Amino acid sequence: MRIKNGLFLVLFLLLPNLIMARQQEADKPNIILIVADDLGYGDLGITGSKQIFTPNIDALAKGGIFFSQGYVSSAVCSPSRAGLLTGRNQVTFGYDNNLAENQPGFDPAFLGLPVEVKTVGDHLHELGYISGIVGKWHLGFEEQFYPLNRGFDEFWGYRGGGHDYFEATDRDRGYKARIESNYKTPQPISYLTDDKGDECVDFIRRHQEEPFFLYASFNAPHTPMQATEADLNIYKDIKDPKRRTYAAMVHRLDINIGKIMNALEENGLSENTMVVFISDNGGPVVTNGSINAPFTGKKGTLLEGGIRVPFILNWPGHLSAGSTYDHPVSSLDLVPTFITMAGGILRPEDQFDGKNLLPYLGQEQMEIPHEEMKWRFTISAVIREGKWKLVRLPDRLPMLFDLDTDLSEQHDVAMEHMDITKRLLRKLGQWDVQLPHPLFLEGPSWRINQLDQYDKTYRLTQPE
């Protein structure tokens, strides 16, 4: 009897702490990271499109903060996502190239996101979150890189960098690779963007009673260029068939983002969920018909059209609705922001290159997050300091642009400002030589292709 009474007393004394811990867990905000794939900067209503209807993405911006100078850390999918999901500039751990077939002389065991680098899933798991990925992974095929071995609890999607929108087979790789899931038998594909939207809604419903992180990794509007007949009919007035298909694919992406937002509303989670929308890089222009207006450049270049992307944070009641933040921010800032939101501490050993954005958005911090930003991607490297942006390529003198007066990078002023050119070139070079060797490389044909893209002419205005 004395033992029972003792146990009862212990439970009675612990109960308030247990209730408080449960309440603290319930109060943690949910986080949804929505990533579009190869989206052109100018292809949303909020960024000036006159052709494509994106009311749900526009509503996200009108209900939150739009970052007019939002950048990603690379100009192509895989390294950009490596930075996005770690909060670290991926070149600092050797992730310089896009993920492709292993090249001679490299160890295929390292063909993916290094296992010692923590992901957002690892960080949030420590803070009591359940984390799920719906869609594209593209950070390594082998088991050591598999999402469930990288801090995530659930995965519905595919390991590669792209997928057919209407068909999946039993293949391990390629655009018709099988859909994998650890919590259900994947259903046959109807239209992949719709299927991803449905899986996101299902994740929200199943985990509404616990803090969650959802990485909604869409592949629209990445190739292959495939749209539903109904959506193509909406854009029948667009004469160019590739542009028409692209518009239909972006339209369908927008509809499924609306599904996600409706699911939050229906489950009473809108006020306690931060939703982020971003593209993994700029539009590739030629291959999918995207437009990066008013920026020059494209996917694969470090011109603004390759790395400046639509970037939105929406968190009702916590962030100012309908506002625009005009200072440079980076996709690398998201993981530190998420950890802080979740009640975690940013530790020096995590080596984050990004910053927690919340103090800057709440007027607690009057300085800007980044006085200086650097990029490297295979043949090219860039440094931005304030309004100045220096671009370094292997076959020409460095180029310098004043982004305050030349947003479209049409006027190279390197010779007129040699002092600035020399200083930034030196600073960029000193950073570059300290970086580790790449863990893997793409084939050399890609480097030639990237260099050619710097000499192309790009559309800088919106089509009617």
Side-chain angles (χ1 to χ4, degrees):
M1 189 67 178
R2 186 175 298 170
I3 294 174
K4 288 183 179 179
N5 287 340
L7 287 172
F8 179 79
L9 180 61
V10 169
L11 290 172
F12 180 78
L13 293 172
L14 288 176
L15 188 59
N17 291 332
L18 291 172
I19 292 172
M20 185 179 297
R22 187 63 181 265
Q23 183 62 46
Q24 289 173 344
E25 199 82 351
D27 288 342
K28 288 184 176 182
N30 305 308
I31 303 165
I32 299 179
L33 173 59
I34 302 172
V35 179
D37 198 342
D38 287 4
L39 177 69
Y41 185 91
D43 290 326
L44 303 173
I46 194 68
T47 55
S49 180
K50 301 173 184 177
Q51 287 187 321
I52 305 174
F53 311 123
T54 56
N56 293 297
I57 298 173
D58 297 346
L60 266 181
K62 291 171 185 173
I65 297 178
F66 178 80
F67 295 91
S68 63
Q69 299 192 63
Y71 289 95
V72 286
S73 61
S74 182
V76 297
C77 304
S78 188
S80 176
R81 290 164 188 260
L84 176 74
L85 294 183
T86 63
R88 296 178 57 185
N89 192 326
Q90 66 285 341
V91 296
T92 64
F93 50 80
Y95 213 113
D96 177 81
N97 281 232
N98 207 12
L99 201 63
E101 294 300 318
N102 199 61
Q103 298 296 304
F106 287 82
D107 187 343
F110 294 91
L111 192 57
L113 183 65
V115 295
E116 69 275 9
V117 178
K118 283 188 171 184
T119 70
V120 62
D122 293 314
H123 292 293
L124 293 181
H125 179 78
E126 295 173 2
L127 297 169
Y129 277 66
I130 186 162
S131 297
I133 300 176
V134 172
K136 170 175 172 171
W137 176 236
H138 204 198
L139 293 172
F141 280 95
E142 304 306 325
E143 285 304 304
Q144 66 267 33
F145 307 122
Y146 191 55
L148 301 182
N149 297 322
R150 305 310 307 270
F152 292 91
D153 302 291
E154 294 186 4
F155 176 50
W156 185 101
Y158 46 93
R159 304 191 196 197
H163 203 283
D164 189 278
Y165 287 82
F166 290 106
E167 184 181 0
T169 66
D170 291 331
R171 299 175 195 167
D172 290 333
R173 301 191 184 196
Y175 275 21
K176 294 188 179 182
R178 69 181 184 275
I179 300 297
E180 302 181 53
S181 174
N182 68 313
Y183 58 89
K184 66 183 288 187
T185 300
Q187 68 276 32
I189 290 178
S190 58
Y191 181 70
L192 189 56
T193 304
D194 287 335
D195 299 327
K196 288 182 180 180
D198 292 342
E199 288 302 320
C200 289
V201 169
D202 183 56
F203 180 91
I204 292 166
R205 288 173 179 161
R206 287 186 289 110
H207 298 296
Q208 61 181 291
E209 299 297 332
E210 55 194 327
F212 64 74
F213 169 73
L214 172 60
Y215 175 30
S217 182
F218 287 91
N219 64 315
H222 191 289
T223 55
M225 302 310 293
Q226 298 171 326
T228 68
E229 286 300 321
D231 290 340
L232 286 169
N233 190 55
I234 294 172
Y235 294 95
K236 61 186 178 183
D237 291 338
I238 298 178
K239 302 305 180 188
D240 176 20
K242 186 182 291 183
R243 177 68 178 170
R244 181 166 63 249
T245 303
Y246 173 85
M249 293 169 73
V250 174
H251 178 80
R252 181 56 48 178
L253 169 66
D254 183 78
I255 286 172
N256 281 277
I257 290 172
K259 280 187 196 173
I260 293 171
M261 301 308 293
N262 288 337
L264 292 176
E265 185 69 32
E266 290 167 4
N267 291 283
L269 300 174
S270 296
E271 297 295 318
N272 197 40
T273 303
M274 174 184 275
V275 179
V276 178
F277 176 82
I278 196 170
S279 180
D280 59 355
N281 44 251
V285 181
V286 176
T287 56
N288 74 349
S290 51
I291 293 173
N292 294 313
F295 305 123
T296 196
K298 62 180 283 295
K299 174 183 180 178
T301 76
L302 295 181
L303 299 170
E304 293 294 282
I307 54 175
R308 196 188 290 207
V309 297
F311 193 142
I312 299 166
L313 260 62
N314 182 294
W315 192 14
H318 299 270
L319 299 177
S320 300
S323 57
T324 299
Y325 188 80
D326 289 322
H327 299 296
V329 298
S330 169
S331 58
L332 303 177
D333 298 326
L334 291 175
V335 172
T337 302
F338 296 162
I339 291 171
T340 307
M341 287 171 57
I345 297 171
L346 304 181
R347 302 166 296 198
E349 58 265 33
D350 290 320
Q351 300 177 281
F352 292 127
D353 294 296
K355 295 185 178 181
N356 169 28
L357 290 176
L358 296 180
Y360 300 95
L361 305 180
Q363 306 301 318
E364 300 165 33
Q365 175 61 265
M366 298 308 292
E367 297 177 359
I368 64 174
H370 302 284
E371 295 284 353
E372 177 183 291
M373 303 172 86
K374 302 186 192 77
W375 291 262
R376 191 183 77 183
F377 175 56
T378 64
I379 61 161
S380 51
V382 160
I383 182 170
R384 176 172 175 180
E385 183 184 83
K387 68 177 184 175
W388 298 108
K389 179 181 174 183
L390 181 135
V391 180
R392 190 192 72 194
L393 295 169
D395 67 340
R396 67 199 71 183
L397 293 172
M399 298 178 287
L400 183 70
F401 301 102
D402 178 350
L403 294 181
D404 278 359
T405 61
D406 183 22
L407 194 63
S408 300
E409 295 172 294
Q410 298 298 291
H411 307 290
D412 175 12
V413 294
M415 293 304 177
E416 292 96 299
H417 299 279
M418 282 299 294
D419 55 334
I420 297 171
T421 301
K422 289 179 181 179
R423 178 172 58 79
L424 293 182
L425 189 61
R426 181 177 180 82
K427 191 180 283 191
L428 180 61
Q430 289 175 338
W431 172 73
D432 194 0
V433 297
Q434 296 178 60
L435 296 174
H437 293 296
L439 295 171
F440 50 85
L441 292 179
E442 297 177 85
S445 63
W446 287 104
R447 296 196 292 277
I448 299 168
N449 177 272
Q450 288 156 17
L451 195 58
D452 288 344
Q453 303 310 312
Y454 285 89
D455 296 317
K456 303 290 185 185
T457 299
Y458 297 92
R459 179 167 193 144
L460 303 179
T461 59
Q462 288 286 349
E464 294 298 328

